[in-house]
Amino acid sequence: MPDKTKGRSPVKNPLSARALLLASVVALAPAAHAATPADMLVVGAQIDDIISLDPAQSFEFSGNDVTKNLYDKLVDFDATDLGKGFQPELAESWQVSEDGLSITFKIRQGAKFHSGNPVRAEDAAWSLQRAVKLNKTPAFILTQFGFTADNVAEKIVADGDSLTLHLDKPYAQSFVLNCLTANIASVVDKETVMAHAQGDDMGNTWLNTNDAGSGAFTLGGWKPNEAVTLQAFADYWRGAPAMTRVVIKHVQESATQRLQLERGDIDVARNLNPSDIEGLAGNDALKIEDQLRGYILYMGLNQKNELLKNPAVVEAMKHLVDYDGIANSFLKGQYTPHQAFLPSGYLGAVDDLPWTYDVEKARQILKDAGIGGGTITTKVRDIPEYVNTALALQGSMAQVGLTLKIEQMTGAQVLDAYRAREVPIFLGEWGPDYSDPQTNAGTFAWNPDNSDEARLTGSLAWRNAYAVPQSMNDAVEAAQLEQDTDKRAQMYHDLQVEYQKTGAILPLFQKIEQPAMQKNVQHWNSGGAVTSVSYDQVTKE
């Protein structure tokens, strides 16, 4: 610390000197650890990505964390034990027709919306119809089953306490149910929402900042870029949660989250960087948990690039990534090596690691193919994990005669170029859109039209100009229709094994979230690979 008395007259009064010394000691002493109330949970997180709290529109990580706690869906699953399979939520049971073209749900009795209105099959049907008609960003999760604004009123029908979905194909039951666990399938209170409708917006403007759900919490308030407050719903059909209030504060900087956690101002810090995680080691008042999430950090090799389209170069690149070295250095335990396009935790996931860091092997592969060198200029988003991964790759490529020139850009600039198929080597993350394996199979391993005109921007295969073999396209489409869940899991398993041999988008690492929290916080779960935080599970000792 700089000497702030330099150049000043020395303190001559001994009493004043002792007082100054005492004041300095107090100023430098750690702040007293003040706990939050026993029935209140305070979370520090980066929540500036929230755009809307309407479940028909919300498609950002932080927004989905909030809406999951405001709304119930027809079905859900236990994020702490995926082996339990689908769990009844507002639907107490369901039945698939013999031809596989319809699913009928029976709505549970006794559930109430926050308004006090009973939850009806009519509300559930209208909620799904509304999401299709509004056609906001996540609508594709429902429209992929043949629902359109013109036909949805006839395709999704309520009858008494039952709700039936009429599908355009006999999709796998697991596929349909997985999509119905997505937040866009949340059931909203039709009467309350339509009472606040403006024109033909079906209540969207109002629901952006209000709630009309039946979940464990009601929305106490949302101040963008500041905080979200949730209040416990006393009449929740599963019983009121232990936390009567949850406050999610927007705290952008890792260092600030850490300081607030150490002072006891917050109970959970969700976005600590590796250095701050290490800095908390030995603090007996806190604990850190490692929770695997569904985000994949991958490397896309654009097949329009003359060098990268050579299969030998694609194969060599698999051995030029220092998987363990990267995961144990600048990523420091916040990612783990993962080389399949489905995250661990998903149906049919593959955890084998067939690719090893082996510069000599890469050099021999290139030599056998007659490749003695080459230069690639690429674009990388200017955040540390991507830039540092690119720099590590640059070093290993140089050892085999390949030159990687790196241009750092903002995320928006890189994404614009990537979606225009103009990034030779893309380094970034992909988060699943819904909890079914089709969500990643349909983007890594499906590209039925590789032309520029196709504009399949949602397909990573298309963005990287990877002409997926027809047999692989067919396998992805067939897996959507397989009714036997075990067979379906095997189909996705086999698809990934085949993809690892030839695919041009290389999965490298899977995200590990490291929430740090007070030791008295129990039953915190970040949502696993497939879902969001459920605050009604949290208790304090």
Side-chain angles (χ1 to χ4, degrees):
M1 178 179 291
D3 182 0
K4 293 184 179 179
T5 64
K6 193 176 221 180
R8 299 178 182 175
S9 299
V11 179
K12 295 180 179 179
N13 186 323
L15 182 59
S16 298
R18 286 195 296 271
L20 181 61
L21 177 61
L22 178 60
S24 299
V25 171
V26 171
L28 293 173
H33 190 90
T36 60
D39 63 346
M40 177 180 175
L41 184 73
V42 183
V43 180
Q46 297 168 352
I47 60 170
D48 56 339
D49 60 330
I50 300 177
I51 295 173
S52 167
L53 294 180
D54 183 343
Q57 180 173 351
S58 176
F59 205 47
E60 295 71 42
F61 296 134
S62 300
N64 284 352
D65 268 347
V66 174
T67 58
K68 179 175 175 59
N69 291 277
L70 300 175
Y71 297 89
D72 287 327
K73 299 174 285 291
L74 292 171
V75 295
D76 208 349
F77 46 79
D78 187 343
T80 65
D81 186 359
L82 295 178
K84 291 181 180 179
F86 298 101
Q87 303 293 304
E89 198 160 75
L90 290 179
E92 62 182 18
S93 63
W94 54 88
Q95 185 69 41
V96 180
S97 63
E98 288 188 11
D99 61 8
L101 290 172
S102 64
I103 303 180
T104 300
F105 300 87
K106 184 177 181 182
I107 303 301
R108 88 172 47 254
Q109 301 299 301
K112 295 180 180 179
F113 288 113
H114 300 154
S115 66
N117 293 334
V119 176
R120 308 165 300 173
E122 180 182 346
D123 295 294
W126 183 80
S127 299
L128 298 176
Q129 294 168 2
R130 173 180 181 270
V132 171
K133 290 178 180 179
L134 286 175
N135 198 29
K136 300 294 184 179
T137 303
F140 74 93
I141 297 174
L142 299 177
T143 59
Q144 64 186 328
F145 298 113
F147 305 134
T148 68
D150 293 333
N151 71 19
V152 72
E154 291 74 41
K155 292 290 187 178
I156 301 178
V157 182
D159 181 12
D161 63 355
S162 295
L163 163 69
T164 300
L165 308 184
H166 297 284
L167 314 172
D168 65 336
K169 294 179 183 179
Y171 297 101
Q173 178 184 183
S174 56
F175 180 29
V176 179
L177 294 180
N178 272 325
C179 289
L180 292 179
T181 67
N183 282 1
I184 194 173
S186 298
V187 177
V188 304
D189 184 344
K190 177 182 178 180
E191 291 185 5
T192 298
V193 173
M194 287 306 292
H196 294 89
Q198 299 178 20
D200 59 358
D201 79 341
M202 304 183 77
N204 174 243
T205 301
W206 180 80
L207 212 52
N208 280 334
T209 55
N210 293 276
D211 97 85
S214 62
F217 292 90
T218 65
L219 181 63
W222 167 41
K223 292 183 178 180
N225 302 327
E226 291 187 27
V228 174
T229 301
L230 306 177
Q231 303 283 356
F233 180 38
D235 290 333
Y236 187 46
W237 60 273
R238 281 178 167 146
M243 297 294 102
T244 60
R245 188 153 64 115
V246 176
V247 178
I248 306 103
K249 297 170 55 179
H250 175 59
V251 186
Q252 182 67 30
E253 299 298 329
S254 172
T256 307
Q257 287 192 25
R258 174 184 169 184
L259 177 62
Q260 292 188 10
L261 185 69
E262 290 177 314
R263 290 192 315 208
D265 296 338
I266 62 177
D267 296 298
V268 182
R270 296 197 66 185
N271 306 110
L272 298 186
N273 62 34
S275 296
D276 284 320
I277 290 290
E278 288 184 354
L280 294 179
N283 189 326
D284 293 335
L286 306 173
K287 61 183 178 180
I288 299 167
E289 298 183 355
D290 290 348
Q291 299 187 354
L292 199 63
R293 301 310 307 273
Y295 316 136
I296 299 293
L297 197 161
Y298 69 95
M299 174 169 60
L301 304 177
N302 194 320
Q303 298 299 280
K304 283 192 169 187
N305 182 279
E306 285 299 317
L307 188 60
L308 295 175
K309 74 179 184 181
N310 190 311
V313 175
V314 174
E315 186 66 21
M317 293 295 287
K318 298 173 183 177
H319 300 287
L320 291 174
V321 179
D322 186 358
Y323 302 95
D324 292 335
I326 291 173
N328 294 325
S329 57
F330 55 83
L331 296 185
K332 293 182 180 175
Q334 295 198 339
Y335 291 83
T336 186
H338 187 80
Q339 297 171 2
F341 61 68
L342 285 182
S344 293
Y346 269 65
L347 179 73
V350 172
D351 293 323
D352 295 344
L353 300 173
W355 312 326
T356 57
Y357 179 50
D358 191 334
V359 174
E360 289 304 318
K361 185 172 184 178
R363 181 181 289 113
Q364 189 62 50
I365 291 171
L366 296 174
K367 181 179 178 181
D368 291 346
I371 299 172
T375 299
I376 300 167
T377 300
T378 197
K379 303 171 178 64
V380 177
R381 184 180 177 186
D382 54 355
I383 60 175
E385 51 263 51
Y386 303 162
V387 173
N388 289 333
T389 300
L391 291 172
L393 186 65
Q394 183 185 60
S396 59
M397 289 174 66
Q399 295 183 61
V400 297
L402 299 178
T403 299
L404 179 64
K405 294 183 178 179
I406 301 169
E407 297 179 0
Q408 294 187 41
M409 296 182 173
T410 67
Q413 289 172 322
V414 173
L415 283 175
D416 283 345
Y418 189 38
R419 290 167 179 163
R421 314 176 97 187
E422 295 172 354
V423 178
I425 296 180
F426 180 83
L427 290 166
E429 285 177 276
W430 181 262
D433 292 321
Y434 49 92
S435 61
D436 190 82
Q438 186 63 26
T439 183
N440 278 14
T443 191
F444 281 84
W446 181 80
N447 182 16
D449 184 350
N450 196 40
S451 67
D452 288 344
E453 294 73 27
R455 300 293 299 165
L456 300 175
T457 56
S459 166
L460 297 186
W462 184 86
R463 292 185 194 180
N464 289 279
Y466 170 47
V468 175
Q470 188 58 46
S471 60
M472 192 173 291
N473 282 323
D474 293 343
V476 171
E477 294 172 7
Q480 298 180 76
L481 305 177
E482 177 53 58
Q483 294 292 334
D484 187 305
T485 300
D486 290 339
K487 289 183 180 178
R488 188 167 183 248
Q490 188 62 48
M491 292 171 75
Y492 284 111
H493 179 281
D494 295 345
L495 185 59
Q496 290 170 94
V497 171
E498 183 62 28
Y499 181 88
Q500 286 174 327
K501 298 176 183 176
T502 60
I505 305 105
L506 311 183
L508 306 177
F509 303 97
Q510 185 170 346
K511 176 72 174 177
I512 299 172
E513 184 169 331
Q514 292 184 301
M517 64 196 74
Q518 308 295 337
K519 270 200 171 174
N520 68 334
V521 175
Q522 302 297 317
H523 310 301
W524 172 276
N525 188 291
S526 296
V530 295
T531 188
S532 303
V533 177
S534 296
Y535 294 118
D536 63 316
Q537 298 177 0
V538 177
T539 62
K540 289 185 178 180
E541 286 187 342

